[in-house]
Amino acid sequence: MKILAIETSCDETALALLEASGDKEKPKFKLRGNVLYSQVEKHKKFGGVYPSLAKREHAENLVPLLEKLLKEAEQNDTNLFFENSDEKNSEQYLIEIKKILEREPNLFEKFLEFVKKVKKPKIDLIAVTSGPGLEPALWVGINFAKALSLFWQIPTIPTNHMEGHIASVLMNSADVEENDKDEIDQIIFPAIALLISGGHTELILVENWGKYKLIGKTNDDAIGEAYDKVARLLNLEYPGGPKISALADIARAEKLQPNTNEPISITLPRPMISSGDFNFSFSGIKTASLYLVQKLKKNQNDVSKKTISEQEVELEEKTKKMVALEFETAVTEVLFKKTIGAIKKHKAETLIIGGGVIANRHIRETFKKLENQTDILNEKIQVLIPEINLTTDNAVMIGIAGYLKSLSKEAQINPEIKADGNLKLSEDKIL
Ligand code: KG4
Ligand code: ZN
């Protein structure tokens, strides 16, 4: 079955076309097209994502991206379009579609122009993110999906963004030509999913696709948020995660030792590492980082005998690298210890890690090594981590999650879908 996936929950406008087959035990996916427009440059000046700008950008870019996607997919699938599609028949829906898109008049204009010039594609299912995320941004994707659903009469299914991050491990290679050969082994349940992104830090018990139980989550900030905030303290641009990660990598390669730096030892807490549960907290390490950076700046000022204000002091590159290394080491230790605890308690056979922060090289390697560390776990475990380009937000993962959901839930033409900024994977109950 061919699936069109739409993702607009945050600051990436993303669309993908997948060919999916198989049952829940052994689902198979081939990527036919994958397009993404990142708004990150536009949000930089706000130091984070600005919801109404995100919404406007999605409305602006969805149609050109769909056009690009279909062109890309046609290269891989010459049988993508119906020969004789009857647009006249679809015109009866235009009044309703205009209503669906009434809050995005520009998008409606672009939609009209576009559907009039393309043939109807042979798409069997539309999967669209309905939450969690920024509601104004989610609505644009949902309304666009509904408009397409109606015009082309394609069943549509709402999809949970976090289920997408979990399911992203089912696509072993995002390379359009190559991904036929790279098939993933069957997943053995129960699995533990560690979700680490800009908005979430959660441990989930996955009993099967669609059966999730929350076993722990952050009490305050998400780990990606902490990365971004600590990056700002070091005067690094948003999103700071990748920048901290790069600095920490250099520090590791140069064998810098943060905590022996005199006169100020660069050490940060490992929050809640011994709390005995599976919850996290990252706001304390953010505050500890703030105090540490203040101290380091004061010290640098004293040493150089300068009298400029603390805000104006730019920390030396070496000091920044050490703070980045200490921060990354601290959060990785916490993630690792809690995840091991969850695997042991729930006798998990598989560990799945999803979300933007698993783009981080050090965290990836730390967890990948776990496959061979039977001294830590007693049993062998399969560790599944998505390809780098499927770690941050994308539509491929939404297509995969949408397909899995469609195996047990019926998709409908122009269904009622509501954006839900706080959509949960499971009842919000900690086991
Ligand atoms: O999953 P995602 O794209 O969006 C959300 O759903 O939140 O995650 C974005 C987060 C940002 O906080 C970003 O700084 C972080 O992922 N991130 C990283 C890295 N790449 C992205 N954090 C640490 N190291 C990285 N290499
Ligand atoms: Zn995400």
Side-chain angles (χ1 to χ4, degrees):
M1 118 175 346
K2 282 191 197 19
I3 303 174
L4 168 68
I6 303 172
E7 155 65 37
T8 65
S9 70
C10 194
D11 59 348
E12 326 278 354
T13 319
L15 296 168
L17 200 85
L18 285 80
E19 188 86 52
S21 60
D23 55 17
K24 272 194 181 173
E25 269 68 60
K26 206 147 179 31
K28 275 194 191 169
F29 301 93
K30 284 180 192 164
L31 192 54
R32 296 299 190 205
N34 183 21
V35 294
L36 184 143
Y37 168 71
S38 174
Q39 307 169 5
V40 78
E41 287 300 322
K42 309 238 163 175
H43 292 278
K44 257 183 190 163
K45 57 174 172 288
F46 303 104
V49 183
Y50 193 66
S52 62
L53 174 63
K55 172 189 146 89
R56 217 164 45 235
E57 287 288 313
H58 289 313
E60 200 60 44
N61 292 300
L62 276 168
V63 170
L65 280 172
L66 178 58
E67 198 166 355
K68 189 170 163 209
L69 176 77
L70 293 178
K71 279 203 185 112
E72 189 178 312
E74 202 183 8
Q75 307 274 312
N76 306 305
D77 178 0
T78 46
N79 191 24
L80 182 62
F81 295 97
F82 287 103
E83 266 323 303
N84 303 306
S85 51
D86 187 3
E87 283 88 31
K88 285 273 163 304
N89 213 9
S90 295
E91 277 172 16
Q92 59 178 306
Y93 304 118
L94 285 179
I95 294 173
E96 206 175 326
I97 290 173
K98 189 169 184 188
K99 253 196 112 198
I100 292 173
L101 294 176
E102 70 186 348
R103 300 179 118 195
E104 286 88 32
N106 289 350
L107 177 56
F108 178 67
E109 291 304 319
K110 288 189 176 199
F111 174 91
L112 259 192
E113 213 180 290
F114 172 70
V115 291
K116 280 185 179 155
K117 73 178 184 204
V118 293
K119 287 185 187 148
K120 178 177 163 167
K122 292 179 185 164
I123 291 170
D124 306 286
L125 178 72
I126 298 174
V128 62
T129 309
S130 63
L134 302 168
E135 287 187 3
L138 288 162
W139 273 119
V140 185
I142 293 171
N143 291 337
F144 185 58
K146 281 163 67 92
L148 290 172
S149 170
L150 204 52
F151 193 82
W152 284 333
Q153 295 288 289
I154 302 171
T156 297
I157 199 155
T159 306
N160 183 307
H161 179 88
M162 300 318 287
E163 186 169 23
H165 277 303
I166 298 178
S168 66
V169 297
L170 288 175
M171 180 66 81
N172 240 7
S173 167
D175 185 329
V176 178
E177 274 112 54
E178 299 253 324
N179 70 52
D180 291 29
K181 64 173 197 280
D182 233 358
E183 229 179 77
I184 195 152
D185 292 338
Q186 196 159 350
I187 293 188
I188 308 167
F189 295 105
I192 289 291
L194 171 67
L195 294 178
I196 41 177
S197 71
H200 289 78
T201 305
E202 292 179 350
L203 276 163
I204 306 228
L205 173 64
V206 184
E207 290 168 336
N208 204 328
W209 295 119
K211 290 198 78 181
Y212 308 105
K213 285 191 178 129
L214 182 69
I215 59 171
K217 65 179 170 72
T218 179
N219 293 335
D220 38 61
D221 290 357
I223 180 168
E225 220 175 326
Y227 259 98
D228 295 338
K229 286 178 179 165
V230 172
R232 217 174 308 158
L233 294 176
L234 299 179
N235 214 4
L236 304 168
E237 258 182 351
Y238 171 84
K243 300 191 179 78
I244 294 237
S245 158
L247 281 182
D249 274 350
I250 302 173
R252 244 174 248 116
E254 291 175 351
K255 301 203 171 12
L256 295 180
Q257 298 286 338
N259 38 14
T260 55
N261 182 44
E262 296 295 337
I264 293 165
S265 156
I266 298 180
T267 45
L268 289 168
R270 272 65 177 152
M272 290 180 73
I273 198 158
S274 300
S275 63
D277 58 15
F278 302 122
N279 292 329
F280 302 90
S281 164
F282 293 106
S283 79
I285 193 166
K286 182 189 70 192
T287 316
S289 304
L290 171 70
Y291 293 147
L292 176 62
V293 166
Q294 282 174 346
K295 258 201 258 171
L296 290 165
K297 283 185 171 177
K298 186 174 178 311
N299 180 251
Q300 201 172 295
N301 234 354
D302 291 348
V303 172
S304 62
K305 300 200 170 39
K306 288 211 177 104
T307 48
I308 48 173
S309 76
E310 190 191 287
Q311 278 87 344
E312 287 171 283
V313 181
E314 181 73 26
L315 281 179
E316 282 168 11
E317 202 58 19
K318 184 177 168 202
T319 314
K320 284 190 187 181
K321 283 184 220 165
M322 289 198 281
V323 174
L325 176 60
E326 172 63 6
F327 172 78
E328 190 159 285
T329 309
V331 295
T332 308
E333 280 176 21
V334 176
L335 292 177
F336 194 73
K337 181 156 182 218
K338 299 260 169 176
T339 306
I340 299 286
I343 292 169
K344 284 185 175 162
K345 176 166 177 193
H346 295 280
K347 300 189 171 52
E349 306 257 4
T350 307
L351 170 64
I352 296 172
I353 313 180
V357 180
I358 197 60
N360 183 284
R361 198 195 56 80
H362 178 66
I363 304 179
R364 285 175 92 83
E365 285 179 6
T366 303
F367 279 102
K368 201 63 197 166
K369 271 192 238 148
L370 194 56
E371 279 194 330
N372 303 313
Q373 285 171 310
T374 37
D375 52 324
I376 297 182
L377 280 175
N378 305 326
E379 309 274 335
K380 233 181 135 40
I381 189 156
Q382 186 182 24
V383 179
L384 300 176
I385 296 175
E387 295 275 313
I388 290 275
N389 55 344
L390 296 185
T391 54
T392 47
D393 291 348
N394 63 85
V396 179
M397 67 184 200
I398 300 306
I400 298 174
Y403 176 69
L404 295 169
K405 188 170 172 189
S406 76
L407 295 173
S408 49
K409 272 215 167 64
E410 206 191 338
Q412 288 169 354
I413 290 169
N414 186 25
E416 264 297 315
I417 305 178
K418 278 206 167 67
D420 180 352
N422 295 313
L423 185 65
K424 302 278 188 293
L425 265 180
S426 65
E427 335 70 90
D428 206 4
K429 191 169 65 190
I430 309 251
L431 289 183

